[in-house]
Amino acid sequence: LYSLGEFCLADAKIDGPLAFSAGTLENSSKVSLEATRAVIKGTTYLNDGFKSKGIINLHLVQIGGSLECQNAVIENSSDLVLNAIGINIKGAVLLTNAFFSKGLINFSFGKIGATFECGNANLSNPQKIIIEAYELTTGSSVIFKKDFRGDGAIRFIGANIGGSMFFEEGTYNFSENFSIDATRVNVSHDLIIQKGFNSNSGLRLVGAKIGGTLECIGAILGKKDSVAIDASRILVNGSVNFGGNFSSIGEMRFSAAKIGLDFRANNCLFSHENNTSFNANRMIIGNDFYCNDIDANGELNIRNVEIGADLQFSNTKITGDNTGSALNAIGVVIKGSVFLYPHFNSHGIVNFTSANIGGIFDCIGANFLAKNNLDSDENFKSEVVNESNIFIARTIDVGETFFWRDMTSNPEGIVDVSGGKVGQLKDDLKSWPDKGKVIIENFTYSTFYNPTLTIEERLEWLRRQKTFSRQPYEQVIKVLRLTGHEKDARKIARAKQNDLRKYGKLSLLARFWNWFLDFTIGHGYQVWRILIFGTAIIGIGAIIFNIAFNLGVMVPIKEKGSNYPFFQSFIYSSDVFLPIVDLHQEAYWLPVGLGKGHIFFMSYLWVHIFLGWILTTVGVAGLTGVVKKD
């Protein structure tokens, strides 16, 4: 069959199949086959070398069988090549077996009873749309099979797919944002993108509903400074799986998505240099969020994500964005545990501020480094020290144990867990950053487990604070006392007061008083010291007052009688020193004689009395606990 001009079957009724096998229809830039509203009870065949130059118009056609376009060439010098808007097909649509088209194929608002297949095909409409399937309904799956090549965009916006959507090995070329746009698509079963899928632009699944699993294995898609996958507000009843050397260039966007089961990424590359490579802000996951063997060049943003089970990043390397953010997990709610283990490497800020975690938080063996310290030939290596934040977990709430130990190196930068609350702290000193880079104010825990961490190392940890705060000392003291380590608690308590003098902002007078309390009674924890000082002063006084007596300076001040007390230098020194006792010496004898050095002895008496009042008062305050400030 060869037709030059329009071949018209409009409103035709055909009781059997319609076949144009090996035929040629030619009406360039115009309609080559007009079959609007035709009713065909059998299958329509455009097969076996069929060629068309012009528009094939199947608008509102009803086909009782399938529509087969196999080993066919359809092209048009204008945009539209196949108009199947509103078509109703009980069987399948097959665009396969060396099928070639040049122009737009439009199945919008159509109904297909079985599958929609496109494989071993070449569809071309450069920088425009090759398949438009707006609000298409299929009874079974949509399949793009092996050896598909598309030069243009594919749109399944608002489509209802009765089975699954498969994108097998193929090449998708479109210079704009999305080579495949399936916004609001409703897929009854799975949406699967398999190894060999290669697209130089993104995939759009905004508001899509997937009844089963969303899986991308071994695919490569996206381009620089764009969105690789936009799955914002997607609803997936099953799991989301990325793996098999999956590679995205541009942002992976899952903001406000809802995942019924797991979100898993294994052996993947997410690349969006100096920007966000993965954005899952406000995503809800029913079970685990699991990433293994991930290389992310750009921030991973899981802010305000809700996870029904565990969050795990293992064998993961993240290089932060241009703000320095590597992993943004602010406000995450995790019913299970967090594992940044094993072999977690971040090159930028890891932020778990206001996170709520029901289980443990495990950072054993992690490596937190500052941005711009990456050795491109090997793993992360430190070259310079960054004074900025490197790990932030302000007001974090961890129900069980917080593991911060066995780091491969000290974190490069400030670790801020201020206001955090954890069940148990399991840490070691070498895993905390250097002095001046630890912020632990109002960081609380019920106990800590440190079989190898000495009390001196715990004190060193406290002294690494960026700015001095008393509360971290008081928290350690509280835990030590609750666990029966009273001696260690006293050591920390005294060190707190001494560190207040060294690092706190005290006036000169307050510093002196702090030093005096430490020197005399150990800030109330070594009150026995006052006995030593008191005894020493009384002994020295006894010697001085005895010399005064021998020089005739120490004289009686009352009329002597038969019962007048004899002068005893040690008793006199004690009576003068102790303000709350009367040993019948001070009231009867004074160094007021005119002997040699009487001014010195009288002056010393005043000093002796003053020291007695001061030391006795401090001693009483120490015994009653007035000066203890835990």
Side-chain angles (χ1 to χ4, degrees), residues 356-370:
N356 193 308
I357 299 155
I360 68 172
F361 193 108
D362 189 345
C363 294
I364 293 177
N367 198 12
F368 299 102
L369 300 175

Side-chain angles (χ1 to χ4, degrees), residues 444-477:
T444 62
Y445 37 89
S446 59
T447 183
F448 42 69
Y449 177 77
N450 312 96
T452 61
L453 194 65
T454 66
I455 197 63
E456 287 75 19
E457 289 175 319
R458 180 58 66 194
L459 183 56
E460 169 63 20
W461 173 64
L462 293 169
R463 287 172 174 165
R464 290 187 181 184
Q465 291 186 79
K466 181 174 173 58
T467 56
F468 176 80
S469 174
R470 304 183 193 187
Q471 186 277 333
Y473 291 81
E474 292 161 2
Q475 179 64 31
V476 171
I477 295 166

Side-chain angles (χ1 to χ4, degrees), residues 185 187-191 208-214 234-238:
V185 70
V187 181
S188 297
H189 298 147
D190 304 325
L191 195 161
K209 295 180 180 179
I210 312 296
T213 296
L214 170 61
I234 193 172
L235 173 61
V236 180
N237 289 335

Side-chain angles (χ1 to χ4, degrees), residues 270-551:
F270 301 147
S271 181
H272 197 198
E273 186 175 1
N274 291 322
N275 291 285
T276 298
S277 63
F278 182 84
N279 183 3
N281 185 26
R282 296 180 290 112
M283 181 165 68
I284 298 175
I285 303 173
N287 287 337
D288 294 326
F289 190 128
Y290 176 78
C291 293
N292 176 60
D293 196 13
I294 301 299
D295 189 347
N297 188 2
E299 177 196 49
L300 297 186
N301 179 12
I302 57 172
R303 183 169 184 158
N304 299 313
V305 167
E306 296 182 22
I307 301 173
D310 297 333
L311 169 67
Q312 181 166 357
F313 288 96
S314 57
N315 302 302
T316 295
K317 182 170 63 176
I318 309 171
T319 303
D321 63 12
N322 53 12
T323 69
S325 177
L327 175 59
N328 182 351
I330 295 174
V332 296
V333 177
I334 302 170
K335 292 184 179 179
S337 299
V338 172
F339 299 95
L340 304 184
Y341 166 85
H343 307 303
F344 176 85
N345 293 276
S346 65
H347 209 70
I349 301 170
V350 174
N351 196 336
F352 277 86
T353 294
S354 299
N356 193 308
I357 299 155
I360 68 172
F361 193 108
D362 189 345
C363 294
I364 293 177
N367 198 12
F368 299 102
L369 300 175
K371 197 170 186 293
N372 301 323
N373 294 349
L374 180 63
D375 188 318
S376 59
D377 296 328
E378 297 179 88
N379 294 325
F380 291 105
K381 289 186 177 180
S382 172
E383 297 173 1
V384 297
V385 175
N386 193 324
E387 294 294 339
S388 64
N389 291 315
I390 202 70
F391 181 88
I392 309 173
R394 302 186 191 109
T395 66
I396 192 173
D397 191 337
V398 179
E400 298 179 19
T401 303
F402 185 81
F403 291 89
W404 190 270
R405 57 186 305 168
D406 301 322
M407 303 287 182
T408 55
S409 64
N410 288 73
E412 291 184 352
I414 295 169
V415 172
D416 184 355
V417 291
S418 57
K421 178 184 177 183
V422 303
Q424 185 182 55
L425 176 62
K426 288 190 176 183
D427 63 339
D428 57 38
L429 187 61
K430 70 181 183 68
S431 297
W432 292 96
D434 297 332
K435 186 177 177 62
K437 298 179 183 179
V438 177
I439 303 178
I440 50 176
E441 186 172 7
N442 295 317
F443 179 52
T444 62
Y445 37 89
S446 59
T447 183
F448 42 69
Y449 177 77
N450 312 96
T452 61
L453 194 65
T454 66
I455 197 63
E456 287 75 19
E457 289 175 319
R458 180 58 66 194
L459 183 56
E460 169 63 20
W461 173 64
L462 293 169
R463 287 172 174 165
R464 290 187 181 184
Q465 291 186 79
K466 181 174 173 58
T467 56
F468 176 80
S469 174
R470 304 183 193 187
Q471 186 277 333
Y473 291 81
E474 292 161 2
Q475 179 64 31
V476 171
I477 295 166
K478 177 182 176 181
V479 171
L480 287 171
R481 284 190 170 142
L482 286 174
T483 54
H485 296 85
E486 182 62 34
K487 183 178 179 181
D488 289 339
R490 288 197 301 270
K491 185 178 291 187
I492 296 294
R494 185 182 174 195
K496 179 192 71 172
Q497 296 297 336
N498 289 335
D499 290 349
L500 174 63
R501 181 174 71 253
K502 294 177 183 178
Y503 310 117
K505 297 179 180 180
L506 299 180
S507 65
L508 184 61
L509 180 60
R511 283 175 178 269
F512 172 77
W513 182 245
N514 181 289
W515 170 85
F516 181 74
L517 290 177
D518 181 47
F519 182 73
T520 54
I521 58 173
H523 294 292
Y525 299 98
Q526 295 178 330
V527 183
W528 50 266
R529 284 183 167 204
I530 208 74
L531 297 175
I532 297 175
F533 293 125
T535 301
I537 292 172
I538 290 172
I540 293 170
I543 296 171
I544 292 174
F545 293 134
N546 187 59
I547 294 173
F549 180 79
N550 293 330
L551 293 175

Side-chain angles (χ1 to χ4, degrees), residues 181-292:
D181 189 342
T183 300
R184 301 191 318 279
V185 70
N186 190 340
V187 181
S188 297
H189 298 147
D190 304 325
L191 195 161
I192 297 176
I193 300 175
Q194 297 182 339
K195 184 177 181 180
F197 177 94
N198 194 326
S199 173
N200 66 348
S201 57
L203 168 65
R204 195 166 195 260
L205 297 169
V206 174
K209 295 180 180 179
I210 312 296
T213 296
L214 170 61
E215 185 170 280
C216 297
I217 304 298
I220 301 173
L221 72 163
K223 61 183 178 181
K224 187 177 180 181
D225 299 326
S226 66
V227 178
I229 294 181
D230 190 348
S232 302
R233 303 188 304 281
I234 193 172
L235 173 61
V236 180
N237 289 335
S239 298
V240 173
N241 298 316
F242 291 91
N245 290 312
F246 171 83
S247 178
S248 66
I249 304 170
E251 181 181 344
M252 294 273 289
R253 186 179 295 167
F254 280 82
S255 55
K258 293 184 179 180
I259 314 299
L261 298 176
D262 300 325
F263 189 104
R264 291 181 172 268
N266 185 41
N267 190 17
C268 298
L269 171 64
F270 301 147
S271 181
H272 197 198
E273 186 175 1
N274 291 322
N275 291 285
T276 298
S277 63
F278 182 84
N279 183 3
N281 185 26
R282 296 180 290 112
M283 181 165 68
I284 298 175
I285 303 173
N287 287 337
D288 294 326
F289 190 128
Y290 176 78
C291 293
N292 176 60

Side-chain angles (χ1 to χ4, degrees), residues 152-163:
I154 297 172
R155 292 182 177 174
F156 279 84
I157 298 173
N160 291 281
I161 311 302

